[in-house]
Amino acid sequence: MRLLVLGDSLTFHGPAGPLPADDPGLWPNVAAAALGGRAELVAGFGWTARDAWWALTGDPRVWALLPRTDVLVLAVGHMDTLPSPLPTYLRQGLRYLRPDGLRRRARALYRAAQPVLSRATGGRPVALPPALTRRYLSDSLRAVRQFRPGLPAVGMVPSVHRSPLYANVHTGRAAGERAVREWAAADGVPLLDVPALVRAHLRDGLGNPDGMHWGWESHRAVGTAMAALVEAASVRRGTPGGP
């Protein structure tokens, strides 16, 4: 069974930092191993549902993977809910600043200001408004099923965090979760309840020191639960795409 996972850094970031996509401890690979298959990961730092849509429509690697995919895992929506004191285009545009010294200073200033601004603005605006999260998830699934009718898909309830980088502010998560659940109900997509699996782990400081990314215990729990969710949705080897 082949899983095509479209995700953010929660798919490839371990307890000490980012890792290669094929690291066996990462939850997509834990899930695939439990299902007797493999995971193909297309992901990036800070990816939202909009980035997943862009990958589906603009990345030829994804086009090549889709014919051989048995299950689509839309592992986005988590970062959509984070405070974003600067508009996304300005925040992401920091990487283009030159010379290098100016870029480094601008990034350091933003990182220092982000927790203060997150608290001052009450966690708003968020990285992607809930209505757009729902829209891009829906559009992504619709686009894939134009090409692969009936391809099974699963999603995720947005994760939680205790990140000093955001002053532990996460007031936008509830609205983000509602949007994801509304999309899932409308499109018949099973969801993995990620907060139930990782909340205690993060609360007890057992994940990455950044308070957002997960330790190996959470990766194992999420991967195992994802495999069970796929099985519960009657997704088995032999679905279109083959083992």
Side-chain angles (χ1 to χ4, degrees):
M1 178 178 290
R2 290 185 177 91
L3 308 180
L4 174 56
V5 182
L6 299 179
D8 52 38
S9 56
L10 294 178
T11 61
F12 62 84
H13 209 287
L19 294 160
D22 62 352
D23 189 291
L26 297 173
W27 74 258
N29 300 319
V30 173
L35 293 164
R38 60 177 295 176
E40 300 288 355
L41 178 61
V42 179
F45 289 103
W47 272 25
T48 66
R50 178 168 52 195
D51 294 286
W53 166 252
W54 284 341
L56 281 169
T57 57
D59 189 338
R61 295 172 301 166
V62 176
W63 308 342
L65 290 169
L66 275 173
R68 302 189 298 275
T69 293
D70 297 305
V71 184
L72 174 66
V73 183
L74 289 167
V76 288
H78 311 288
M79 303 303 167
D80 307 36
T81 68
L82 294 177
S84 182
L86 281 184
T88 300
Y89 69 91
L90 289 177
R91 175 167 42 82
Q92 295 187 345
L94 293 176
R95 73 184 75 177
Y96 299 109
L97 288 176
R98 294 293 183 272
D100 292 347
L102 174 62
R103 184 183 67 252
R104 287 192 290 268
R105 286 193 297 273
R107 280 181 166 170
L109 179 62
Y110 180 69
R111 289 180 66 87
Q114 185 165 268
V116 177
L117 294 173
S118 296
R119 189 182 299 111
T121 62
R124 296 178 175 82
V126 293
L128 192 69
L132 289 182
T133 297
R134 178 176 179 177
R135 171 188 148 191
Y136 282 115
L137 288 171
S138 180
D139 287 353
S140 295
L141 185 59
R142 187 177 299 112
V144 167
R145 285 182 172 167
Q146 286 289 326
F147 181 64
R148 290 286 310 278
L151 180 69
V154 295
M156 291 181 136
V157 175
S159 186
V160 292
H161 77 78
R162 291 179 60 83
S163 176
L165 187 60
Y166 298 97
N168 295 333
V169 175
H170 207 178
T171 51
R173 202 199 75 82
E177 177 176 343
R178 284 195 299 272
V180 170
R181 289 191 181 278
E182 288 168 1
W183 158 71
D187 286 357
V189 176
L191 292 177
L192 184 66
D193 189 352
V194 172
L197 297 168
V198 306
R199 180 179 282 111
H201 192 68
L202 291 172
R203 181 195 62 217
D204 295 340
L206 300 176
N208 187 285
D210 65 11
M212 179 176 300
H213 296 97
W214 307 333
W216 293 128
E217 180 181 334
S218 285
H219 275 280
R220 287 191 296 271
V222 171
T224 301
M226 178 58 75
L229 181 68
V230 169
E231 288 186 328
S234 300
V235 179
R236 297 288 190 271
R237 268 191 211 197
T239 55

